[in-house]
């Protein structure tokens, strides 16, 4: 069993910053790509940022140069530093991870956190 637990969401003023964390725990052999997604009311879930085990990153155009994704493989944790927040960043943010449970497993599985609310006021 694998669990992803997010933390760090909250209410901030436009222009402020937040740092989200997501820690994976349970039966884990290897974590490959990890990422952050978000879903605003009435909209589809979208990729915000992703990072491979080796550290390669990609970002949604709307958050480039404002958000930074990073990870600590030793802690099975991924972070999202969010700066210069805008009201349009308001959404529930979800952590995602591709995980292989054991050496004998033949594939990775996607796991999701419970989501953390980020609200940016104008």
């Amino acid at each position: 069993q694998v669990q992803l637990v997010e933390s760090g969401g909250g209410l901030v003023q436009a222009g402020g910053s937040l740092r989200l964390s997501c820690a994976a725990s349970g039966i884990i052999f290897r974590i490959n790509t990890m990422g952050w997604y978000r879903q605003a009311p009435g909209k589809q879930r979208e990729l915000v940022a992703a990072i491979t085990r080796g550290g390669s990153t990609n970002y949604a155009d709307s958050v480039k140069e404002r958000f930074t994704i990073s990870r600590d493989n030793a802690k099975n944790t991924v972070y999202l530093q969010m700066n210069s927040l805008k009201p349009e960043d308001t959404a529930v943010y979800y952590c995602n991870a591709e995980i292989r449970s054991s050496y004998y497993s033949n594939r990775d599985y996607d796991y999701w956190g419970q989501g953390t609310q980020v609200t940016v006021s104008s």
Side-chain angles (χ1 to χ4, degrees):
Q1 300 263 25
V2 174
Q3 301 84 41
L4 302 180
V5 179
E6 300 123 322
S7 62
L11 174 64
V12 298
Q13 197 170 5
S17 298
L18 285 173
R19 190 181 192 229
L20 306 183
S21 299
C22 173
S25 62
I27 303 172
I28 299 171
F29 174 71
R30 181 185 66 201
I31 303 178
N32 292 316
T33 300
M34 304 184 79
W36 290 94
Y37 292 72
R38 67 185 181 187
Q39 187 166 22
K43 296 184 178 180
Q44 295 191 88
R45 187 173 299 186
E46 64 174 349
L47 174 69
V48 177
I51 182 167
T52 68
R53 183 172 180 82
S56 297
T57 60
N58 67 282
Y59 299 89
D61 288 341
S62 60
V63 307
K64 287 180 179 178
E65 301 181 0
R66 295 191 298 121
F67 293 9
T68 302
I69 189 170
S70 61
R71 65 189 287 172
D72 185 335
N73 291 337
K75 297 181 179 180
N76 290 336
T77 299
V78 63
Y79 307 93
L80 185 68
Q81 178 66 48
M82 304 185 293
N83 298 326
S84 302
L85 283 162
K86 305 174 181 180
E88 47 263 48
D89 294 318
T90 296
V92 177
Y93 284 70
Y94 297 91
C95 177
N96 170 263
E98 299 174 348
I99 298 175
R100 180 167 293 192
S101 61
S102 77
Y103 174 81
Y104 302 99
S105 179
N106 56 194
R107 59 167 286 182
D108 295 342
Y109 291 87
D110 279 345
Y111 291 87
W112 293 89
Q114 79 286 351
T116 184
Q117 178 70 47
V118 171
T119 302
V120 184
S121 62
S122 59

Coordinates of all heavy atoms in Angstrom, one line a residue, residues 4-12 16 18-22 35-41 44-49 59-60 62-63 66-69 78-96 112-120:
L4 N 0.1 9.0 -0.4 CA 0.7 10.3 -0.6 C 0.0 11.4 0.2 O -1.2 11.5 0.2 CB 0.6 10.7 -2.1 CG 1.2 9.8 -3.1 CD1 1.0 10.4 -4.5 CD2 2.7 9.6 -2.9
V5 N 0.8 12.1 1.0 CA 0.2 13.1 1.9 C 0.7 14.4 1.6 O 1.9 14.7 1.7 CB 0.5 12.7 3.4 CG1 -0.2 13.8 4.3 CG2 -0.1 11.3 3.7
E6 N -0.2 15.4 1.3 CA 0.2 16.7 0.9 C 0.0 17.6 2.1 O -0.8 17.4 3.0 CB -0.7 17.3 -0.2 CG -0.5 16.5 -1.5 CD -1.9 15.9 -2.0 OE1 -2.7 15.5 -1.2 OE2 -2.1 15.9 -3.2
S7 N 0.8 18.7 2.1 CA 0.7 19.7 3.1 C 1.1 21.1 2.6 O 1.8 21.1 1.5 CB 1.4 19.4 4.4 OG 2.8 19.3 4.1
G8 N 0.8 22.1 3.2 CA 1.3 23.5 2.8 C 0.3 24.4 2.2 O 0.6 25.5 1.9
G9 N -0.9 23.9 1.8 CA -1.9 24.8 1.2 C -2.4 25.8 2.2 O -2.2 25.7 3.4
G10 N -3.2 26.7 1.7 CA -3.8 27.7 2.6 C -4.3 28.9 1.8 O -4.4 28.9 0.6
L11 N -4.6 30.0 2.5 CA -5.1 31.2 2.0 C -4.0 32.3 2.0 O -3.4 32.5 3.1 CB -6.3 31.7 2.8 CG -6.9 33.1 2.4 CD1 -7.4 33.1 1.0 CD2 -8.0 33.4 3.4
V12 N -3.7 32.9 0.8 CA -2.7 33.9 0.8 C -3.2 35.0 -0.1 O -4.1 34.9 -0.9 CB -1.3 33.4 0.2 CG1 -0.8 32.3 1.1 CG2 -1.6 32.8 -1.2
G16 N 1.8 36.7 -2.9 CA 2.5 36.0 -1.8 C 3.0 34.6 -2.3 O 3.0 34.3 -3.5
L18 N 3.6 30.2 -1.3 CA 3.4 29.0 -0.5 C 4.3 27.9 -1.0 O 4.8 27.9 -2.1 CB 1.9 28.6 -0.7 CG 0.8 29.3 -0.1 CD1 -0.6 28.8 -0.6 CD2 0.9 29.2 1.5
R19 N 4.6 27.0 -0.1 CA 5.4 25.8 -0.4 C 4.6 24.6 -0.1 O 4.3 24.3 1.1 CB 6.7 25.8 0.3 CG 7.7 24.8 -0.2 CD 9.0 24.8 0.6 NE 10.0 24.0 -0.1 CZ 10.8 23.1 0.6 NH1 10.6 22.9 1.9 NH2 11.7 22.5 -0.1
L20 N 4.3 23.8 -1.1 CA 3.6 22.5 -0.9 C 4.6 21.4 -0.8 O 5.6 21.4 -1.4 CB 2.6 22.3 -2.1 CG 1.6 23.3 -2.5 CD1 0.8 22.9 -3.6 CD2 0.8 23.7 -1.3
S21 N 4.2 20.4 0.0 CA 5.0 19.2 0.2 C 4.2 18.0 0.0 O 3.0 18.0 0.3 CB 5.7 19.2 1.6 OG 6.5 20.3 1.8
C22 N 4.7 16.9 -0.5 CA 4.0 15.7 -0.6 C 5.0 14.6 -0.3 O 6.0 14.4 -1.0 CB 3.5 15.5 -2.0 SG 2.8 13.9 -2.4
G35 N 4.7 14.6 -9.6 CA 4.2 15.9 -10.2 C 3.1 16.5 -9.3 O 2.6 15.9 -8.4
W36 N 2.7 17.7 -9.7 CA 1.6 18.4 -9.1 C 0.6 18.8 -10.2 O 1.0 19.3 -11.2 CB 2.1 19.7 -8.4 CG 3.0 19.4 -7.2 CD1 4.3 19.4 -7.1 CD2 2.5 19.2 -5.9 NE1 4.7 19.1 -5.8 CE2 3.6 19.0 -5.0 CE3 1.2 19.2 -5.3 CZ2 3.5 18.8 -3.7 CZ3 1.1 19.0 -4.0 CH2 2.2 18.8 -3.2
Y37 N -0.6 18.5 -9.9 CA -1.7 18.9 -10.7 C -2.7 19.8 -9.9 O -2.6 19.8 -8.7 CB -2.5 17.6 -11.1 CG -1.8 16.7 -12.1 CD1 -0.7 16.0 -11.7 CD2 -2.2 16.6 -13.4 CE1 0.0 15.1 -12.5 CE2 -1.5 15.8 -14.3 CZ -0.4 15.0 -13.8 OH 0.2 14.2 -14.7
R38 N -3.5 20.5 -10.6 CA -4.5 21.3 -9.9 C -5.8 21.3 -10.6 O -5.9 21.1 -11.8 CB -4.0 22.8 -9.7 CG -3.9 23.6 -11.0 CD -3.3 24.9 -10.8 NE -3.1 25.7 -12.0 CZ -2.5 26.9 -12.0 NH1 -1.9 27.4 -10.9 NH2 -2.5 27.6 -13.2
Q39 N -6.9 21.6 -9.9 CA -8.2 21.6 -10.4 C -9.0 22.7 -9.8 O -9.2 22.7 -8.6 CB -8.9 20.3 -10.2 CG -10.3 20.2 -10.9 CD -10.8 18.8 -11.0 OE1 -10.4 17.9 -10.2 NE2 -11.7 18.5 -12.0
A40 N -9.4 23.7 -10.6 CA -10.2 24.8 -10.1 C -11.7 24.5 -10.4 O -12.0 23.6 -11.2 CB -9.8 26.1 -10.9
P41 N -12.6 25.1 -9.6 CA -14.0 24.8 -9.8 C -14.4 25.0 -11.3 O -14.1 26.0 -11.9 CB -14.7 25.9 -8.9 CG -13.6 26.1 -7.8 CD -12.3 26.1 -8.6
Q44 N -11.1 21.3 -15.7 CA -10.5 20.0 -15.7 C -9.2 20.1 -14.9 O -8.5 21.1 -14.8 CB -10.2 19.5 -17.1 CG -11.5 19.3 -17.9 CD -11.1 18.5 -19.2 OE1 -11.1 17.3 -19.2 NE2 -10.9 19.3 -20.3
R45 N -8.8 19.0 -14.4 CA -7.5 18.9 -13.7 C -6.4 19.1 -14.8 O -6.4 18.5 -15.9 CB -7.4 17.5 -13.0 CG -6.1 17.4 -12.2 CD -6.1 16.1 -11.4 NE -7.3 16.0 -10.5 CZ -7.5 15.1 -9.6 NH1 -6.6 14.1 -9.5 NH2 -8.6 15.1 -8.8
E46 N -5.4 19.8 -14.4 CA -4.3 20.1 -15.3 C -2.9 19.9 -14.6 O -2.8 20.1 -13.4 CB -4.4 21.6 -15.8 CG -4.2 22.6 -14.7 CD -4.2 24.0 -15.3 OE1 -4.0 24.2 -16.5 OE2 -4.2 25.0 -14.5
L47 N -2.0 19.6 -15.4 CA -0.6 19.4 -14.9 C 0.0 20.8 -14.6 O -0.1 21.7 -15.4 CB 0.3 18.7 -15.9 CG 1.8 18.6 -15.6 CD1 2.0 17.7 -14.4 CD2 2.6 18.2 -16.8
V48 N 0.5 20.9 -13.4 CA 1.2 22.2 -13.1 C 2.7 22.0 -13.3 O 3.4 22.9 -13.9 CB 1.0 22.5 -11.6 CG1 1.7 23.8 -11.2 CG2 -0.5 22.7 -11.4
A49 N 3.3 21.0 -12.7 CA 4.7 20.7 -12.9 C 5.0 19.2 -12.6 O 4.3 18.6 -11.9 CB 5.5 21.6 -11.9
Y59 N 7.0 22.4 -16.8 CA 6.0 23.2 -16.2 C 4.9 23.6 -17.1 O 5.1 23.8 -18.3 CB 6.6 24.5 -15.6 CG 7.7 24.3 -14.6 CD1 9.0 24.1 -14.9 CD2 7.3 24.3 -13.2 CE1 10.0 23.9 -13.9 CE2 8.3 24.1 -12.2 CZ 9.6 23.9 -12.6 OH 10.6 23.7 -11.6
A60 N 3.7 23.9 -16.6 CA 2.7 24.5 -17.4 C 3.1 25.9 -17.7 O 3.8 26.6 -16.9 CB 1.4 24.6 -16.6
S62 N 1.6 28.6 -17.7 CA 1.0 29.6 -16.8 C 1.8 29.8 -15.5 O 1.6 30.8 -14.8 CB -0.4 29.3 -16.5 OG -0.5 28.0 -15.9
V63 N 2.7 28.8 -15.2 CA 3.4 28.9 -13.9 C 4.9 29.0 -14.1 O 5.6 29.1 -13.1 CB 3.1 27.7 -13.0 CG1 1.6 27.6 -12.8 CG2 3.7 26.4 -13.5
R66 N 7.5 31.2 -12.0 CA 6.9 31.5 -10.8 C 7.0 30.3 -9.8 O 7.1 30.5 -8.6 CB 5.5 32.0 -10.9 CG 5.3 33.3 -11.7 CD 3.9 33.8 -11.6 NE 2.9 32.9 -12.2 CZ 1.9 32.3 -11.5 NH1 1.7 32.6 -10.2 NH2 1.1 31.5 -12.1
F67 N 6.7 29.1 -10.3 CA 6.7 27.9 -9.5 C 8.0 27.1 -9.7 O 8.6 27.1 -10.8 CB 5.5 27.0 -9.8 CG 4.2 27.6 -9.5 CD1 4.0 28.9 -9.0 CD2 3.1 26.8 -9.6 CE1 2.8 29.4 -8.7 CE2 1.8 27.3 -9.3 CZ 1.7 28.6 -8.8
T68 N 8.4 26.4 -8.7 CA 9.6 25.5 -8.8 C 9.3 24.2 -8.2 O 8.9 24.1 -7.0 CB 10.8 26.1 -8.2 OG1 11.1 27.4 -8.8 CG2 12.0 25.2 -8.4
I69 N 9.4 23.1 -8.9 CA 9.3 21.8 -8.4 C 10.6 21.2 -8.1 O 11.6 21.4 -8.8 CB 8.5 20.9 -9.4 CG1 8.1 19.6 -8.7 CG2 9.3 20.7 -10.7 CD1 7.1 18.7 -9.5
V78 N 8.2 15.3 -2.7 CA 8.3 16.3 -3.8 C 7.7 17.6 -3.2 O 6.8 17.6 -2.4 CB 7.5 15.8 -5.0 CG1 6.0 15.6 -4.7 CG2 7.7 16.8 -6.2
Y79 N 8.2 18.7 -3.7 CA 7.9 20.0 -3.2 C 7.4 20.9 -4.4 O 7.8 20.7 -5.6 CB 9.0 20.7 -2.5 CG 9.7 19.9 -1.4 CD1 10.8 19.1 -1.7 CD2 9.2 20.0 -0.1 CE1 11.4 18.4 -0.7 CE2 9.8 19.2 0.9 CZ 10.8 18.4 0.6 OH 11.4 17.7 1.6
L80 N 6.6 21.9 -4.1 CA 6.3 22.9 -5.1 C 6.3 24.2 -4.4 O 5.5 24.6 -3.6 CB 4.9 22.6 -5.7 CG 4.5 23.6 -6.8 CD1 5.3 23.3 -8.1 CD2 3.0 23.4 -7.1
Q81 N 7.4 25.0 -4.8 CA 7.5 26.4 -4.3 C 6.7 27.3 -5.2 O 7.0 27.3 -6.4 CB 9.0 26.8 -4.3 CG 9.2 28.2 -3.8 CD 8.8 28.4 -2.4 OE1 9.2 27.6 -1.5 NE2 8.1 29.5 -2.1
M82 N 5.8 28.0 -4.7 CA 4.9 28.9 -5.5 C 5.1 30.3 -5.1 O 4.8 30.7 -3.9 CB 3.4 28.5 -5.3 CG 3.1 27.0 -5.7 SD 1.4 26.6 -5.6 CE 1.1 26.8 -3.9
N83 N 5.6 31.1 -6.0 CA 5.9 32.5 -5.7 C 5.0 33.4 -6.7 O 4.5 32.9 -7.7 CB 7.3 32.9 -6.0 CG 8.3 32.1 -5.1 OD1 7.9 31.9 -3.9 ND2 9.5 31.8 -5.6
S84 N 4.9 34.6 -6.3 CA 4.1 35.6 -7.1 C 2.7 35.0 -7.4 O 2.2 35.1 -8.6 CB 4.8 35.9 -8.4 OG 6.1 36.5 -8.1
L85 N 2.0 34.5 -6.4 CA 0.7 33.9 -6.6 C -0.3 34.8 -7.1 O -0.3 36.0 -6.8 CB 0.3 33.2 -5.4 CG 1.0 31.9 -5.0 CD1 0.8 31.5 -3.6 CD2 0.4 30.8 -5.9
K86 N -1.2 34.3 -8.0 CA -2.2 35.1 -8.6 C -3.6 34.5 -8.3 O -3.6 33.3 -8.0 CB -2.1 35.1 -10.1 CG -0.7 35.6 -10.6 CD -0.6 35.5 -12.2 CE 0.7 35.9 -12.7 NZ 0.8 35.8 -14.1
P87 N -4.6 35.2 -8.3 CA -6.0 34.7 -8.0 C -6.3 33.5 -8.9 O -7.0 32.5 -8.4 CB -6.9 35.8 -8.3 CG -6.1 37.0 -7.9 CD -4.7 36.7 -8.4
E88 N -5.8 33.5 -10.1 CA -6.1 32.4 -11.0 C -5.3 31.1 -10.7 O -5.6 30.1 -11.3 CB -5.8 32.8 -12.5 CG -4.4 33.5 -12.7 CD -4.5 35.0 -12.7 OE1 -5.2 35.6 -11.8 OE2 -4.0 35.6 -13.6
D89 N -4.5 31.2 -9.7 CA -3.8 30.0 -9.2 C -4.7 29.2 -8.2 O -4.3 28.1 -7.8 CB -2.5 30.3 -8.5 CG -1.4 30.8 -9.5 OD1 -1.3 30.3 -10.6 OD2 -0.7 31.8 -9.2
T90 N -5.8 29.8 -7.8 CA -6.7 29.2 -6.8 C -7.2 27.9 -7.4 O -7.8 27.8 -8.4 CB -7.8 30.1 -6.5 OG1 -7.3 31.3 -5.9 CG2 -8.8 29.5 -5.6
A91 N -7.0 26.8 -6.6 CA -7.4 25.5 -7.0 C -7.1 24.5 -5.9 O -6.4 24.8 -4.9 CB -6.7 25.1 -8.3
V92 N -7.6 23.3 -6.1 CA -7.1 22.2 -5.2 C -5.9 21.6 -5.9 O -5.9 21.3 -7.1 CB -8.2 21.1 -5.0 CG1 -7.6 19.9 -4.2 CG2 -9.4 21.7 -4.3
Y93 N -4.8 21.5 -5.2 CA -3.5 20.9 -5.8 C -3.4 19.5 -5.3 O -3.5 19.2 -4.1 CB -2.4 21.8 -5.3 CG -2.3 23.1 -6.1 CD1 -3.2 24.1 -5.8 CD2 -1.3 23.3 -7.0 CE1 -3.2 25.3 -6.5 CE2 -1.2 24.5 -7.7 CZ -2.2 25.5 -7.5 OH -2.1 26.7 -8.2
Y94 N -3.1 18.6 -6.3 CA -2.9 17.2 -6.1 C -1.5 16.7 -6.4 O -1.0 17.1 -7.4 CB -3.9 16.4 -6.9 CG -5.3 16.7 -6.6 CD1 -6.0 17.6 -7.3 CD2 -6.0 15.9 -5.7 CE1 -7.4 17.9 -7.1 CE2 -7.4 16.1 -5.4 CZ -8.0 17.1 -6.1 OH -9.4 17.3 -5.8
C95 N -1.0 15.9 -5.5 CA 0.3 15.3 -5.7 C 0.1 14.0 -6.5 O -0.8 13.3 -6.2 CB 1.0 15.0 -4.4 SG 2.6 14.2 -4.5
N96 N 1.0 13.7 -7.4 CA 1.0 12.4 -8.2 C 2.3 11.8 -8.2 O 3.4 12.5 -8.3 CB 0.5 12.7 -9.6 CG 0.6 11.5 -10.5 OD1 1.6 11.4 -11.3 ND2 -0.3 10.7 -10.5
W112 N -2.2 9.1 -6.1 CA -2.6 10.5 -5.9 C -2.8 10.8 -4.5 O -3.3 10.0 -3.7 CB -4.0 10.7 -6.7 CG -3.9 10.6 -8.1 CD1 -4.0 9.5 -8.9 CD2 -3.6 11.7 -9.0 NE1 -3.9 9.8 -10.2 CE2 -3.6 11.2 -10.3 CE3 -3.4 13.1 -8.9 CZ2 -3.4 11.9 -11.5 CZ3 -3.1 13.8 -10.0 CH2 -3.2 13.3 -11.3
G113 N -2.4 12.0 -4.1 CA -2.7 12.5 -2.8 C -4.2 13.0 -2.7 O -4.9 13.0 -3.7
Q114 N -4.5 13.4 -1.5 CA -5.9 13.8 -1.2 C -6.3 15.2 -1.7 O -7.4 15.5 -1.8 CB -6.2 13.6 0.3 CG -5.7 14.8 1.1 CD -4.2 14.8 1.3 OE1 -3.5 13.8 1.0 NE2 -3.7 15.9 1.9
G115 N -5.3 15.9 -2.0 CA -5.5 17.3 -2.5 C -5.3 18.3 -1.3 O -5.7 18.0 -0.2
T116 N -4.8 19.5 -1.6 CA -4.7 20.6 -0.7 C -5.2 21.8 -1.3 O -4.8 22.1 -2.5 CB -3.3 20.7 -0.1 OG1 -3.3 21.7 0.9 CG2 -2.3 21.0 -1.2
Q117 N -6.0 22.6 -0.6 CA -6.6 23.8 -1.2 C -5.6 25.0 -1.1 O -5.0 25.3 -0.1 CB -7.9 24.2 -0.4 CG -8.5 25.5 -0.9 CD -9.2 25.3 -2.2 OE1 -9.9 24.3 -2.5 NE2 -8.9 26.3 -3.1
V118 N -5.5 25.6 -2.3 CA -4.7 26.9 -2.3 C -5.7 28.0 -2.8 O -6.3 27.9 -3.9 CB -3.6 26.8 -3.3 CG1 -2.9 28.1 -3.6 CG2 -2.5 25.8 -2.8
T119 N -5.8 29.0 -2.0 CA -6.7 30.1 -2.3 C -5.9 31.4 -2.3 O -5.3 31.7 -1.3 CB -7.9 30.2 -1.3 OG1 -8.6 29.0 -1.3 CG2 -8.8 31.3 -1.7
V120 N -6.0 32.1 -3.4 CA -5.2 33.4 -3.5 C -6.3 34.5 -3.7 O -7.0 34.6 -4.6 CB -4.3 33.4 -4.7 CG1 -3.5 34.7 -4.8 CG2 -3.4 32.2 -4.7

